[in-house]
Amino acid sequence: MPLGAKAESITPAPGQGGGKEQRVTKQRRAVSAALDQLDDFVSTQELYRILQNQGVSVSLATAYRILQSLADEGLVDVLRNGDGEAVYRRCAVTGHHHHLLCRNCGKAVEVEAPAVETWAARTAAEHGFTEVAHTVEIFGLCPDCTGLRAAGKL
C-alpha cells in the first residue's frame, strides 16, 4: 500500500469462510459506487474514464485489481463482450442468471433460462461431469439499436 494510504476497514470476502480479507479503501468505495450508478456492463477502461471524470484518483491498474476482486467475491458479474474484453456490472439478480447484451450500445438484460439449466445438468450427467458451472451470454441488438439500424442511423 502506498505511503500515506489508509485502509479504513477490513471485510471478509463473502463465500470465502472469512478466509481472504479485503481492505475497503477510498478507491474500492469509489469503484463500487460508480458501478452502483451504471445500468449496463462496463469495461475497466470505461470505468476508469468515468472515475477520472468524477475527479476520483485511482490508477488503471488499481481499477483492474478492484474489479477482479469484486468479481472473485461475487459482488459483480463479469463476462466477455463481443470483442473478448472483460466487462463488469453490479447485477440486481443475486442468483444464477444469464444476460442478453446489445452489441452496439452495451445494454444488458438479465434473464433466467430454466431450459438451459436443465440442458446443462443433463449434458454434464451424461458425460459423468460433476460440480458443473456454465455461462450463457446472448449478443444481439436491443430494440432501440434495432430501430436506429432500420432508420439508417446505425
Side-chain angles (χ1 to χ4, degrees):
M1 183 179 311
L3 186 62
K6 293 182 182 177
E8 297 182 8
S9 65
I10 298 176
T11 308
Q16 296 189 9
K20 187 175 181 182
E21 294 180 345
Q22 295 298 319
R23 295 185 185 274
V24 182
T25 62
K26 180 174 68 171
Q27 291 88 354
R28 185 176 170 94
R29 282 196 317 275
V31 167
S32 187
L35 287 169
D36 288 342
Q37 296 172 0
L38 299 171
D39 292 326
D40 297 325
F41 281 88
V42 64
S43 71
T44 306
Q45 291 188 0
E46 290 168 322
L47 184 64
Y48 172 75
R49 281 191 291 275
I50 290 167
L51 291 168
Q52 295 300 301
N53 290 340
Q54 293 175 349
V56 175
S57 176
V58 60
S59 72
L60 183 58
T62 298
Y64 273 105
R65 282 192 301 274
I66 291 169
L67 286 170
Q68 185 58 55
S69 172
L70 292 171
D72 291 346
E73 295 167 34
L75 298 174
V76 297
D77 277 354
V78 59
L79 54 94
R80 300 274 173 195
N81 65 16
D83 297 328
E85 181 179 26
V87 290
Y88 303 84
R89 177 180 173 198
R90 175 115 46 218
C91 288
V93 177
T94 56
H96 181 73
H97 61 282
H98 305 284
H99 300 97
L100 294 168
L101 298 162
C102 182
R103 286 189 307 260
N104 183 57
C105 71
K107 178 180 181 175
V109 177
E110 296 169 355
V111 295
E112 293 184 25
V116 171
E117 306 309 321
T118 301
W119 171 82
R122 185 182 66 242
T123 301
E126 287 172 1
H127 296 278
F129 279 65
T130 62
E131 300 183 34
V132 175
H134 68 273
T135 58
V136 174
E137 313 305 338
I138 303 168
F139 296 90
L141 292 179
C142 71
D144 292 339
C145 290
T146 298
L148 289 173
R149 173 160 283 167
K153 297 180 181 178
L154 179 64

